[in-house]
Amino acid sequence: MAPNVEYYCPCLAASPHPPPPHLPSSSFSFHPLHSLFFCEECDAVRCNRCVMVEVSGYYCPNCLFEVPSASVRAEKNRCARNCFHCPNCRNTLTVVASDPPEDADARMSPIVSTTLGEPPFFLYCNHCRWDSAEVGIIFEKPTGLAAQLQKYEDSAPESLEFERLKEHFEPYLRASSSSALPAASHHIHTNPITAAAASALARDIPGVGKYSALARNRIGREKSTQKQEIPDYKPRVEVGAASGLSAGGGEADVEYMRHLEMDSEVATLEQRWGNSWVSSLRTADLKPMRIPLQAKKSKRCPSCRHILIKPEQKAQSVRYKIKLVAANYLPAISVSLPHAQAALEMMKRSTALSKSASVPGDEHGAAAGTLLAGKTYAFHLAFTNPLYDPIQVRLKKAQVMPAGEARRPAFQVNLPSAAFPIAAFAEAWEYEDDEEDVFALEEEDMEMDGMGRDGRGRARTVGILEKRANVTVVGGEVILTKEARGNAKFNMLVSYTYRSDDPEPADDEMATPSRGHASSRAPDMKTFSFYTVVDLGPVVPRDESRVDPD
Amino acid sequence: MDMPIYYTRAEYIETDTGNKVSRRATIAGPQNIILGGKTIISSGAIIRGDLRRTGPGHAVVISLGRYCLIGEGCVMRPPYKTYRGNFNYYPMKIGDHVHVGANTIVEAATIGNHVEIGKNCVIGKFTIIKDCAKIADNTVIPPNTVVPALALFAGSPGKHSVRAVNEDMKVTFAGQYVEDLPESTQEMAEAYTKQYYTRFQPLPNER
Ligand SMILES: [Zn+2]
Ligand SMILES: [Zn+2]
Ligand SMILES: [Zn+2]
Ligand SMILES: [Zn+2]
């Protein structure tokens, strides 16, 4: 794997410091920069694990119809037009007529066959050739199929039971939603139905409230404000027996399995996973599924609730009304190992000469980028400034040592100790096409580092190596002990100082509001710090390397 | 980071608008193919501009936008169907910043902007892929599939579902929705494809 840098979101930790990189938990707290958000209000990085997600609109992923929220409920979160999944392979099914098509290809197109043709109609999969006639599902008209299928789904015993449950709780819900509304607004994920179910469960089964996150939020309020009694509910479908009705389960399934001839007679978990209710075990009983709707999502900061992501209404638009992503605030950092790149370079030049140009294979990169235990390597960190102002960056390596363990660290990292500048981002850089100079520069760098590695040029290895446009490349080095194992991975604290009073570049339509930080009149320097984890790659033990003459 | 990707100058033809087309690619019916500029057609790729709708006049069969990459050994073929008894080919339109991995077969009707398609994929006839979508390596997208914007689709290579009615026939799961892609996909795809074009350059000793 190529060396990489990931950024820390502190949401999982009690302390602001990240876990040591060798702990498995570390990987859950670090994320690629492009997946992170930034809350200006809190001046903090947010990740997909901690942001609050809200649905801003529903659409069908197949016909792309934008479904109004009112219909979503009635249609049970699935498409009500002619969109169905093949129960066998998940392809989208096609409506076909039963008169034989003129040639095989007519079957491939959904547009053709629906308008012409003789009834009955059925659903056909052009990927695996499943068709709904096999399970006895045929239609008199090629329209309104979803409604007919939904009638099927809604008549499932579990579905009816669920409806009755909802009815049962209805009066209670109406009462509680009116009294508890102001308080409920602080926890938007709790919808009244789940809340009611959770509190009923907490009441009936001792101890359950302790483990339910929903109940935890509501139970306090429940005790004080809600004393209303709900009558006991008499289920019509017994637990466990439910599946005995039509859907198998228990003795019936055992009996069926006893007489199996092919394992393929049993539907796979993947094939049954998406069903709303318990379904039959048999492959031959699989029913077509109305395609589940997708949602466009807004995201909010978990602590101040400001919106970080707000998509445009149109389902297939990739634009956003609000998009506060961390990449517009924090410098992007990429790491490389010059010795690996030099090796890769050599290899590619020779292959390019022998055959055509090709994308560098990862296997080659891995072989060339080997870190040998007991050796010292230079690495490059390239910082790209996204702000319209120059910034000053300072790096600090976080302690690798696990607390309480008196183990000698397997490697030592030297980073430039002085702060270094990165020039401002300017749109003009984007249009500069004469980047040949840039490559020339890089080639020189590599030779320079070759010298640095054997100890003489150490001063030049650690420090600023290159400045171009809004990118500054600094060098660091890693000294591996002979005992070094695993990945050479360390946490790095990055602090950058910026002017917080810059005037907004007025004419620039590409500027996101984020790029000019909120102006506060008085010129004022601010510092923002964040943690990253730098992974230089796996260390190869010395013993294995002794084979080849050095 | 910005490592160059070298090619031998003799292999590629560079057009006025910066398209780079390998001499080892097969470009059939070039008069029916539009390349938007700074688009790379790699060696061994086959582009079937010759499969055009019947009838008189000029017709664009395959159009590609700017900063596209058609990987090595890819096949780009316009989709076809028989409509009211007439067999015909239909045009294929591909947007800007679209990368198609090596050995992938594309018979899509439209592919939006900032789309990434992996290697060894089959993109079935009349498939519609919306903006900023991504198809993972080795995915089979069956004909007429719609891939929504910002969606990652992947198949389940190696996993087979077996038809109960026809035991001999093994069927791979069709490529399907896996997850939403990050909100910054567009910027990343744009930066990556532009950078790729810059990195793609003739061997320095030939300059
Ligand atoms: Zn987080
Ligand atoms: Zn639909
Ligand atoms: Zn199928
Ligand atoms: Zn906030």
Side-chain angles (χ1 to χ4, degrees):
Chain A
M1 213 182 67
N4 74 56
V5 179
E6 293 200 323
Y7 293 61
Y8 180 59
C9 177
C11 60
L12 285 177
S15 87
H17 305 294
H22 64 273
L23 293 182
S25 61
S26 157
S27 62
F28 292 95
S29 297
F30 288 96
H31 314 268
L33 176 62
H34 64 78
S35 73
L36 292 173
F37 312 100
F38 193 88
C39 178
E40 289 194 331
E41 214 63 33
C42 304
D43 210 23
V45 170
R46 303 291 181 216
C47 73
N48 271 312
R49 271 180 225 283
C50 60
V51 290
M52 302 169 90
V53 179
E54 287 168 30
V55 170
S56 71
Y58 294 91
Y59 66 93
C60 167
N62 185 57
C63 64
L64 305 180
F65 184 83
E66 288 161 40
V67 187
S69 327
S71 339
V72 172
R73 211 178 203 197
E75 292 157 6
K76 304 261 166 74
N77 295 22
R78 292 177 187 259
C79 183
R81 275 136 292 278
N82 276 4
C83 302
F84 310 96
H85 270 158
C86 170
N88 191 49
C89 76
R90 293 297 174 83
N91 182 26
T92 305
L93 294 171
T94 301
V95 184
V96 294
S98 42
D99 56 331
E102 288 155 52
D103 68 317
D105 275 322
R107 277 200 158 190
M108 303 295 273
S109 162
I111 313 125
V112 190
S113 30
T114 50
T115 47
L116 326 155
E118 298 289 313
F121 297 88
F122 55 98
L123 297 167
Y124 173 75
C125 175
N126 56 33
H127 186 61
C128 75
R129 300 186 210 165
W130 180 92
D131 74 61
S132 66
E134 282 176 20
V135 294
I137 297 179
I138 51 169
F139 307 91
E140 283 314 306
K141 281 186 296 177
T143 52
L145 307 190
Q148 294 179 55
L149 274 186
Q150 195 184 339
K151 228 178 282 164
Y152 240 164
E153 295 163 22
D154 290 353
S155 63
E158 293 94 336
S159 172
L160 295 173
E161 185 74 35
F162 184 65
E163 288 303 319
R164 283 194 290 266
L165 255 176
K166 278 203 293 189
E167 249 167 61
H168 179 76
F169 282 116
E170 192 69 48
Y172 168 74
L173 284 178
R174 239 181 285 121
S176 70
S177 64
S178 52
S179 65
L181 203 63
S185 69
H186 99 201
H187 197 280
I188 48 157
H189 290 303
T190 316
N191 91 35
I193 297 181
T194 40
S199 63
L201 206 63
R203 186 199 59 192
D204 292 342
I205 305 169
V208 99
K210 254 196 301 202
Y211 303 107
S212 154
L214 286 172
R216 212 194 304 143
N217 278 304
R218 308 247 334 171
I219 202 122
R221 230 178 301 130
E222 224 56 71
K223 280 191 182 132
S224 52
T225 62
Q226 246 93 70
K227 284 276 177 227
Q228 200 182 340
E229 270 306 305
I230 318 164
D232 279 347
Y233 176 76
K234 288 262 181 309
R236 264 165 257 192
V237 178
E238 284 302 318
V239 178
S243 43
L245 293 174
S246 63
E251 281 300 314
D253 275 354
V254 175
E255 195 54 32
Y256 172 68
M257 303 278 267
R258 265 199 197 111
H259 298 98
L260 273 189
E261 284 178 22
M262 302 280 298
D263 61 352
S264 58
E265 291 170 38
V266 176
T268 62
L269 197 54
E270 281 98 335
Q271 290 169 330
R272 291 180 288 147
W273 199 245
N275 289 340
S276 301
W277 310 109
V278 181
S279 62
S280 159
L281 210 59
R282 305 171 195 208
T283 309
D285 288 347
L286 288 171
K287 303 274 189 296
M289 286 180 292
R290 293 187 297 132
I291 290 182
L293 300 179
Q294 298 271 353
K296 289 200 97 168
K297 298 168 199 107
S298 296
K299 294 177 180 175
R300 286 179 187 273
C301 170
S303 83
C304 73
R305 311 198 6 101
H306 273 82
I307 293 182
L308 304 176
I309 293 291
K310 189 184 171 118
E312 271 192 2
Q313 203 54 46
K314 229 177 121 246
Q316 293 309 302
S317 164
V318 291
R319 295 221 184 104
Y320 295 85
K321 287 180 186 147
I322 298 172
K323 181 160 121 180
L324 303 176
V325 291
N328 289 343
Y329 295 86
L330 312 186
I333 308 169
S334 67
V335 58
S336 58
L337 292 162
H339 78 281
Q341 291 207 330
L344 204 60
E345 186 89 344
M346 288 308 293
M347 224 148 40
K348 271 195 305 184
R349 280 185 201 207
S350 52
T351 49
L353 274 176
S354 60
K355 56 177 224 87
S356 63
S358 63
V359 187
D362 284 342
E363 329 79 60
H364 293 270
T370 312
L371 296 170
L372 294 176
K375 285 204 165 193
T376 297
Y377 293 95
F379 58 86
H380 290 179
L381 293 167
F383 288 78
T384 309
N385 181 9
L387 305 177
Y388 283 115
D389 269 316
I391 57 173
Q392 288 281 329
V393 177
R394 194 180 282 275
L395 303 178
K396 192 167 163 274
K397 194 187 139 252
Q399 274 309 41
V400 185
M401 286 297 290
E405 245 180 276
R407 214 178 59 191
R408 211 163 69 100
F411 57 87
Q412 198 193 321
V413 173
N414 292 326
L415 292 168
S417 51
F420 55 89
I422 315 177
F425 171 87
E427 304 294 352
W429 300 128
E430 295 214 314
Y431 302 114
E432 218 169 79
D433 262 359
D434 54 346
E435 303 211 5
E436 292 183 6
D437 299 334
V438 173
F439 287 120
L441 261 175
E442 275 184 346
E443 279 156 34
E444 280 163 31
D445 282 341
M446 279 166 205
E447 276 147 43
M448 186 178 87
D449 290 317
M451 278 161 45
R453 221 187 314 157
D454 51 41
R456 282 178 292 145
R458 187 156 297 177
R460 252 192 304 171
T461 310
V462 179
I464 300 177
L465 298 176
E466 185 191 343
K467 278 188 264 181
R468 60 179 145 97
N470 60 332
V471 179
T472 297
V473 181
V474 299
E477 68 177 6
V478 58
I479 303 161
L480 302 169
T481 64
K482 286 202 175 71
E483 294 77 38
R485 295 290 181 274
N487 277 32
K489 209 172 165 188
F490 61 93
N491 288 348
M492 179 172 76
L493 178 68
V494 182
S495 304
Y496 67 95
T497 308
Y498 60 97
R499 275 166 64 95
S500 63
D501 66 330
D502 68 304
E504 195 76 46
D507 55 332
D508 223 326
E509 55 164 17
M510 274 191 57
T512 56
S514 49
R515 277 189 166 136
H517 271 97
S519 50
S520 60
R521 283 298 135 111
D524 171 26
M525 300 306 281
K526 276 191 176 175
T527 298
F528 184 82
S529 297
F530 58 94
Y531 277 103
T532 57
V533 63
V534 180
D535 186 354
L536 296 172
V539 178
V540 175
R542 199 70 170 145
D543 317 0
E544 292 174 32
S545 62
R546 216 169 267 159
V547 187
D548 60 327
D550 217 351
Chain B
M1 308 136 258
D2 303 352
M3 294 273 291
I5 298 161
Y6 291 124
Y7 62 87
T8 46
R9 187 177 284 280
E11 189 192 329
Y12 280 82
I13 305 161
E14 186 168 350
T15 68
D16 295 344
T17 50
N19 298 306
K20 296 184 178 186
V21 181
S22 169
R23 291 181 198 276
R24 298 185 208 201
T26 306
I27 313 290
Q31 70 280 6
N32 302 329
I33 298 170
I34 295 176
L35 302 181
K38 303 201 173 185
T39 278
I40 302 165
I41 311 292
S42 309
S43 112
I46 299 170
I47 304 196
R48 298 295 304 268
D50 57 325
L51 302 179
R52 52 163 296 189
R53 191 180 254 284
T54 48
H58 199 66
V60 176
V61 174
I62 294 175
S63 70
L64 282 152
R66 286 162 58 80
Y67 290 105
C68 292
L69 168 71
I70 303 303
E72 289 180 31
C74 280
V75 180
M76 312 291 287
R77 259 168 69 102
Y80 61 84
K81 70 179 172 198
T82 303
Y83 182 63
R84 293 185 194 276
N86 298 315
F87 176 91
N88 237 325
Y89 285 101
Y90 292 78
M92 178 193 293
K93 191 175 184 305
I94 296 176
D96 300 332
H97 305 283
V98 174
H99 272 207
V100 181
N103 301 313
T104 283
I105 298 165
V106 179
E107 294 185 300
T110 49
I111 296 178
N113 302 315
H114 306 100
V115 171
E116 184 188 340
I117 298 174
K119 53 182 194 239
N120 305 318
C121 293
V122 178
I123 309 298
K125 282 192 275 287
F126 295 105
T127 291
I128 296 170
I129 302 179
K130 305 298 264 186
D131 294 345
C132 300
K134 180 176 170 174
I135 313 293
D137 291 349
N138 309 310
T139 300
V140 176
I141 302 287
N144 304 311
T145 302
V146 176
V147 178
L150 286 160
L152 169 65
F153 266 51
S156 317
K159 276 190 202 161
H160 291 89
S161 102
V162 187
R163 293 296 310 281
V165 273
N166 184 355
E167 282 82 8
D168 301 332
M169 200 174 92
K170 294 224 169 189
V171 174
T172 51
F173 276 100
Q176 54 185 290
Y177 172 82
V178 178
E179 62 178 14
D180 288 340
L181 292 166
E183 288 81 3
S184 45
T185 301
Q186 178 171 344
E187 290 83 348
M188 289 196 303
E190 188 158 325
Y192 180 78
T193 52
K194 281 185 173 173
Q195 201 184 53
Y196 190 95
Y197 182 80
T198 315
R199 289 163 65 200
F200 192 76
Q201 52 183 294
L203 277 164
N205 51 5
E206 291 189 326
R207 286 201 277 237

